[in-house]
Amino acid sequence: MSRFAYIIEKINSTPIKKFPFPHLYIENILEPHDLDGILNEPQINLPRSTGDVELLGSLSDAGYEAIEFPGCTTDEKTYLSWRSRKNIQECGNVTTCEGFGITYRMRKIESSLLTSLVHFFGSEYFFSSCAKKFDVNYGLTFRDSGLHKYLDGYEISPHPDIRRKALTYMVNINPSGDSELINYHTQYMVFKDEFRYIQCYWEGNPMQDRCWVPWDWCNTVFRQTKNNSIIIFAPTNSSLHAIKASYDHLRTQRTQLYGNLWFHEIEIDSKPCWEDFIIKPTKERRHHTINR
């Protein structure tokens, strides 16, 4: 039995919150002795870097590798170029974002504690328990997970996740003592009243995929700032969340255990983008429709 089996007990005993969408939120998910050990691991608490090039070298030396991830590049040269100029036109992200980042996953684990931690949060035992909590058919999915560090500039505008994603979780294991005050946390959101028709459109058109939308179409209702907290949810048409990291990553880095369940197969006809939902004002228009 894993040393982290107590986490399943916490998941099973915690009720699902309904607002702003069905999700499980648990603080102090890791016991204090486990958390202290994790945060003191050299692969988690990297030494301060004097510059971006040194930081990227430190990440590589610590066993991290840049991965494909939404809102990010895997090209370190491209990222360093953007960092030096912060040119929006060069960011390479989608049009709802002003920046982009780079995400690293720990590939070489050097301690038994981190090995146990990453194995547990990627295990069938953990994922099947989460799937059962949210009534997700685990047999129709495959899992992906890892221990990540996200650098400055990482941005994903409000989105509910694409329909192929069956479940997601995020655990904050930030090594800095002031992490709750740093501007790099996930925001959970709702559409503003004048844009709720988009959610209604997704609900009425299940064969069309969901997309990212502009920041000013939504309001933030909660930020996952607490260290040692976990959020788990099965994406729906209302599960809006976003991230815009702007911070000194030379001193410390946003660090998470992160994972998803993905459906093996799902039928989608098309994927309207946010521009398709812009309402063109006309005198005769009385109902919301999308601009197709």
Side-chain angles (χ1 to χ4, degrees), residues 70-73 79 82-83 86-102 151-157 212 215 243-245:
C72 297
T73 181
Y79 177 69
W82 176 81
R83 279 275 296 167
K86 295 291 181 75
N87 188 323
I88 295 174
Q89 282 68 41
E90 294 180 359
C91 79
N93 207 346
V94 301
T95 55
T96 53
C97 299
E98 295 182 346
F100 76 152
I102 190 165
L151 302 192
D152 174 65
Y154 170 48
E155 181 178 357
I156 303 179
S157 74
W212 298 11
W215 284 91
I243 172 69
K244 189 172 186 177

Side-chain angles (χ1 to χ4, degrees), residues 100-207:
F100 76 152
I102 190 165
T103 294
Y104 288 86
R105 176 173 289 188
M106 186 183 291
R107 295 297 194 189
K108 298 178 182 178
I109 306 176
E110 298 174 356
S111 76
S112 59
L113 174 58
L114 291 183
T115 297
S116 297
L117 180 75
V118 172
H119 180 267
F120 173 80
F121 277 98
S123 68
E124 180 175 354
Y125 177 42
F126 173 76
F127 271 112
S128 62
S129 298
C130 295
K132 183 177 180 181
K133 186 79 174 183
F134 284 89
D135 199 27
V136 171
N137 189 335
Y138 182 75
L140 299 179
T141 66
F142 65 94
R143 59 188 190 270
D144 176 65
S145 64
L147 197 160
H148 293 176
K149 282 185 176 287
Y150 310 80
L151 302 192
D152 174 65
Y154 170 48
E155 181 178 357
I156 303 179
S157 74
H159 64 291
D161 282 329
I162 59 175
R163 296 187 187 273
R164 195 181 178 203
K165 187 180 287 189
L167 185 135
T168 191
Y169 76 82
M170 289 173 275
V171 184
N172 288 343
I173 49 170
N174 296 303
S176 176
D178 65 346
S179 66
E180 294 181 16
L181 304 177
I182 300 175
N183 185 23
Y184 57 20
H185 296 289
T186 304
Q187 304 177 43
Y188 300 89
M189 316 180 82
V190 295
F191 275 116
K192 294 179 178 178
D193 289 345
E194 60 267 36
F195 295 103
R196 288 183 181 171
Y197 67 90
I198 301 171
Q199 183 176 323
C200 293
Y201 181 83
W202 288 331
E203 290 170 355
N205 295 271
M207 296 292 289

